[in-house]
């Protein structure tokens, strides 16, 4: 199931995630690699496009295409006080905060999980030293480190990058759907024996209104096909 999900989301972003046609991606390899191509972007769209260049496509480029927004807090040059790994970690922190503010659900994704393996090891090494130094002082720290073996990290990286893309799709693409996009939505919910899904914003703390519209549509089509394929069976016998 996970592999089918990964393949579907990879194909969609390859075909539709970019402003200038197709851009083949691999999860997580090209995503975490290409983010290094353009470390920073400008706060102005014109300079942003100049900085990216015609042949350079990064996660920031994709976000700008899908949302029309630039990642906040990203400047045109790196801070001299931060090493490249710390800089990347901050970018990923900014990315996650930005997506969460748009409605993404990513509580299990830590910025370090989005790094490349070597960068992850460097970041963990530095943070471990800092954590030891803090323990030797009177300063309290509640920062938790998750030290993963190489094979576990690769599995985690693939999972979290897939989840990030799914949430990007949810908050910037799926939200374009409205009840008016579905033919006669009110009648869809009146199909006999079909589970009722309320679309009011506060009726669920799991699914957004546009997700519930999709679920309503899926239920309606399932019910119609159930009657066609199993027309002589009662619902409880399926």
């Amino acid at each position: 199931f996970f592999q089918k999900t990964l393949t579907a989301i990879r194909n969609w972003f390859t075909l539709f995630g970019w402003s200038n046609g197709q851009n083949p991606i691999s999860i997580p390899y090209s995503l975490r690699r290409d983010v290094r191509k353009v470390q920073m972007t400008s706060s102005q769209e014109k300079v942003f496009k100049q900085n990216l260049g015609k042949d350079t496509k990064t996660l920031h480029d994709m976000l700008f295409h899908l949302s029309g927004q630039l990642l906040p807090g990203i400047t045109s040059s790196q801070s001299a006080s931060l090493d490249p790994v710390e800089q990347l970690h901050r970018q990923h922190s900014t990315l996650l905060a930005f997506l969460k503010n748009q409605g993404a659900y990513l509580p299990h994704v830590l910025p370090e999980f989005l790094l490349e393996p070597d960068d992850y090891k460097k970041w963990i090494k530095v943070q471990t030293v800092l954590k030891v130094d803090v323990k030797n002082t009177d300063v309290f720290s509640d920062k938790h480190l998750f030290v993963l073996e190489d094979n576990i990290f690769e599995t985690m990286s693939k999972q979290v990058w897939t989840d990030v893309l799914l949430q990007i799709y949810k908050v910037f693409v799926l939200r374009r759907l409205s009840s008016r996009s579905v033919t006669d939505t009110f009648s869809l919910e009146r199909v006999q024996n079909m589970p009722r899904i309320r679309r009011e914003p506060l009726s669920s703390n799991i699914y957004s209104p546009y997700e519930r519209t999709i679920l309503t549509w899926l239920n309606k089509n399932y019910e119609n096909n159930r009657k066609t394929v199993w027309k002589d069976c009662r619902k409880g016998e399926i």
Side-chain angles (χ1 to χ4, degrees):
F1 174 78
F2 173 73
Q3 188 58 47
K4 288 181 178 179
T5 302
L6 185 150
T7 300
I9 201 70
R10 180 189 64 205
N11 290 344
W12 191 92
F13 278 93
T14 291
L15 294 171
F16 308 113
W18 314 90
S19 58
N20 297 315
Q22 299 181 24
N23 179 45
I25 66 170
S26 58
I27 304 172
Y29 311 107
S30 67
L31 295 171
R32 64 191 188 191
R33 180 194 68 227
D34 292 347
V35 76
R36 279 186 169 276
K37 289 182 179 179
V38 179
Q39 290 282 335
M40 299 287 114
T41 62
S42 169
S43 60
Q44 296 182 355
E45 177 181 347
K46 182 178 180 180
V47 179
F48 171 80
K49 292 180 178 179
Q50 291 175 347
N51 287 344
L52 282 178
K54 294 182 179 179
D55 300 323
T56 303
K57 294 184 178 182
T58 70
L59 184 68
H60 299 151
D61 186 24
M62 183 233 299
L63 283 173
F64 182 72
H65 169 62
L66 294 177
S67 70
Q69 302 179 59
L70 298 177
L71 212 57
I74 303 299
T75 56
S76 59
S77 62
Q78 290 192 25
S79 171
S81 62
L82 297 177
D83 64 37
V85 174
E86 181 66 21
Q87 191 77 23
L88 280 170
H89 190 273
R90 289 200 175 190
Q91 284 190 60
H92 292 323
S93 297
T94 300
L95 167 67
L96 294 175
F98 172 71
L99 293 177
K100 289 175 183 177
N101 286 336
Q102 301 299 317
Y105 186 73
L106 295 165
H108 60 295
V109 179
L110 299 179
E112 54 266 32
F113 293 160
L114 300 176
L115 295 170
E116 290 195 273
D118 289 342
D119 290 337
Y120 171 76
K121 292 177 183 177
K122 292 175 184 177
W123 190 85
I124 287 294
K125 183 177 180 179
V126 171
Q127 297 304 310
T128 301
V129 172
L130 292 175
K131 198 172 183 68
V132 171
D133 291 341
V134 168
K135 285 184 176 181
N136 294 330
T137 68
D138 294 330
V139 179
F140 174 76
S141 174
D142 62 351
K143 188 172 186 178
H144 298 285
L145 294 178
F146 293 89
V147 183
L148 307 177
E149 298 294 332
D150 291 351
N151 61 325
I152 300 298
F153 176 80
E154 282 296 342
T155 300
M156 175 67 77
S157 182
K158 184 177 291 187
Q159 176 71 65
V160 297
W161 273 109
T162 300
D163 292 344
V164 165
L165 290 180
L166 284 169
Q167 292 298 310
I168 288 174
Y169 182 87
K170 168 188 168 181
V171 300
F172 295 129
V173 181
L174 192 58
R175 71 167 37 172
R176 300 172 190 170
L177 178 71
S178 69
S179 58
R180 288 175 294 181
S181 304
V182 182
T183 304
D184 198 7
T185 305
F186 182 77
S187 66
L188 298 187
E189 295 183 329
R190 290 182 173 272
V191 176
Q192 187 177 9
N193 297 325
M194 194 183 80
R196 300 295 189 266
I197 299 176
R198 298 172 57 194
R199 294 190 308 279
E200 292 79 2
L202 299 180
S203 64
S204 173
N205 61 354
I206 298 176
Y207 299 114
S208 61
Y210 34 95
E211 288 176 294
R212 294 196 293 278
T213 298
I214 287 288
L215 290 172
T216 298
W217 179 82
L218 287 171
N219 280 340
K220 179 261 183 184
N221 283 279
Y222 168 80
E223 185 69 16
N224 285 344
N225 283 281
R226 181 187 70 81
K227 292 178 179 179
T228 300
V229 178
W230 299 295
K231 59 182 179 179
D232 296 325
C233 296
R234 290 178 299 178
K235 190 170 186 179
E237 297 175 344
I238 296 175

